Amino acid sequence: MEKTFLMVKPDGVQRNLIGEIVSRFETKGFKLAGAKLMNISDELAKQHYGEHKDRPFFGELVDFITSGPVFAMVWEGENVISTARNMMGKTNPAEATPGTIRGDFGLTVGKNVIHGSDSLESAEREVNLFFSKNEILSYEKQD
Ligand code: CMP
């Protein structure tokens, strides 16, 4: 079954949005396969955001994502990657539709509450970067 990596960013944790965000994916019908509250090291941040290393905001991105705990998650389900992206809304909260997570809770493109993998390749890479095999659980759950 398809898996994606989702992460409540430091602003979302500070603003007590973990429960709200987990609830949206649970009620949608996806299955939580792994989750942890963690601090991101400088090294992990640079690996995770490697594709943005030449962007002018790279330093800011790394500083922000390492500024406090994040809530990292693996979610599973049919078309979970694209559906989760739709539920998150556009990267820039100013352009995100109300009803989406960023549309409802985000303010700026940097502090946009949540990260989610954008493709099958990045989902596999990000799940493996943040989670070891034994942290991802396989279990039966009713639809
Ligand atoms: P995310 O989905 O975590 O992936 C890359 C992040 O870069 C993106 O969310 C934004 O938070 C961030 N980002 C994109 N554009 C800018 C920008 N102009 N300034 C700061 N951060 C940005």
Side-chain angles (χ1 to χ4, degrees):
M1 184 55 80
E2 188 172 295
K3 290 185 177 61
T4 196
F5 172 72
L6 301 179
M7 168 169 71
V8 182
K9 295 186 181 186
D11 56 327
V13 174
Q14 288 293 327
R15 292 173 56 204
N16 302 315
L17 292 173
I18 294 174
E20 166 74 33
I21 289 170
V22 168
S23 179
R24 289 192 179 208
F25 293 103
E26 273 189 316
T27 49
K28 179 71 177 169
F30 291 125
K31 183 159 92 174
L32 188 61
K36 56 185 170 184
L37 187 68
M38 62 182 282
N39 285 310
I40 297 186
S41 67
D42 213 55
E43 190 189 345
L44 178 57
K46 285 176 178 160
Q47 276 181 285
H48 173 63
Y49 282 133
E51 66 180 294
H52 300 296
K53 69 177 188 316
D54 297 325
R55 303 272 192 106
F57 56 85
F58 184 65
E60 203 180 305
L61 194 56
V62 170
D63 285 350
F64 174 60
I65 210 69
T66 58
S67 67
V70 301
F71 192 66
M73 301 166 279
V74 179
W75 285 90
E76 192 177 299
E78 208 172 316
N79 297 316
V80 67
I81 299 171
S82 60
T83 307
R85 295 276 297 182
N86 287 335
M87 291 169 67
M88 285 160 50
K90 289 195 175 174
T91 304
N92 185 349
E95 296 167 5
T97 312
T100 65
I101 293 167
R102 287 164 172 161
D104 288 349
F105 305 118
L107 278 176
T108 66
V109 72
K111 293 183 177 172
N112 62 355
V113 183
I114 185 167
H115 167 86
S117 308
D118 62 4
S119 66
L120 201 53
E121 296 70 37
S122 56
E124 275 174 19
R125 191 181 75 83
E126 292 170 0
V127 165
N128 290 322
L129 198 53
F130 281 83
F131 287 85
S132 58
K133 290 272 175 276
N134 65 2
E135 290 175 321
I136 299 170
L137 308 187
S138 181
Y139 60 99
E140 289 303 317
K141 188 166 170 282
Q142 283 183 335
D143 288 336

